[in-house]
């Protein structure tokens, strides 16, 4: 799963670099979102990660990782909504502004996932 998460981050960076080409940007970013969402569903169904939290020792790193993961999901919603608005011609400055925060939190999520045992 960690390798798949690295792949998603690579897709996100490629998608951002190709942001001016909507025919490429949109499918790449949606693919990254669907893969990420699939990983969340898999982790919940197979490992019950949400239910396991009360039984785990909550280290500062784990709390930070959980917070990042939650913020990433919120950013996905914002980015998809504002991206749809942009695609329809209703330009949203928040899409560009949100992209930076989204990439930082998603990369932070990736890094912390490697640090958690």
């Amino acid at each position: 799963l960690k390798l798949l998460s690295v792949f998603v981050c690579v897709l996100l960076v490629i998608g951002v670099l190709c942001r001016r080409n909507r025919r490429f940007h949109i499918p790449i970013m949606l693919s990254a979102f669907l893969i990420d969402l699939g990983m969340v569903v898999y982790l919940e169904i197979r490992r019950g990660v949400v239910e396991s939290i009360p039984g785990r020792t909550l280290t500062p790193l784990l709390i930070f990782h959980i917070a990042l993961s939650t913020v990433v999901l919120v950013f996905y919603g914002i980015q998809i909504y504002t991206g749809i608005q942009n695609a329809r011609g209703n330009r949203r400055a928040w899409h560009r502004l949100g992209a930076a925060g989204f990439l930082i939190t998603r990369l932070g999520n990736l890094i912390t996932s490697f640090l958690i045992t």
Side-chain angles (χ1 to χ4, degrees):
L1 281 178
K2 290 181 182 177
L3 188 59
L4 192 55
S5 190
V6 170
F7 177 67
V8 166
C9 287
V10 169
L11 281 179
L12 291 171
V13 169
I14 291 169
V16 168
L17 292 175
C18 297
R19 66 190 172 275
R20 299 203 195 298
N21 182 349
R22 286 176 31 180
R23 297 183 85 190
F24 192 71
H25 173 76
I26 294 170
I28 290 292
M29 298 308 261
L30 284 176
S31 297
F33 169 67
L34 291 174
I35 294 168
D36 250 359
L37 188 60
M39 285 191 299
V40 169
V41 170
Y42 173 82
L43 287 169
E44 185 53 35
I45 290 173
R46 290 299 231 184
R47 298 186 188 169
V49 292
V50 174
E51 292 85 13
S52 72
I53 292 171
R56 291 187 72 171
T57 303
L58 292 178
T59 64
L61 181 62
L62 181 58
I63 292 168
F64 185 63
H65 177 73
I66 293 168
L68 282 175
S69 299
T70 304
V71 172
V72 164
L73 292 175
V74 171
F75 265 124
Y76 262 126
I78 292 168
Q79 291 305 103
I80 289 172
Y81 174 77
T82 57
I84 290 169
Q85 295 301 311
N86 281 356
R88 291 182 177 162
N90 304 325
R91 298 312 250 168
R92 298 280 185 236
W94 283 107
H95 190 69
R96 188 177 330 135
L97 296 171
F102 169 70
L103 285 176
I104 290 167
T105 54
R106 183 58 182 88
L107 291 173
N109 171 269
L110 174 67
I111 293 165
T112 57
S113 74
F114 279 99
L115 300 174
I116 295 171
T117 55

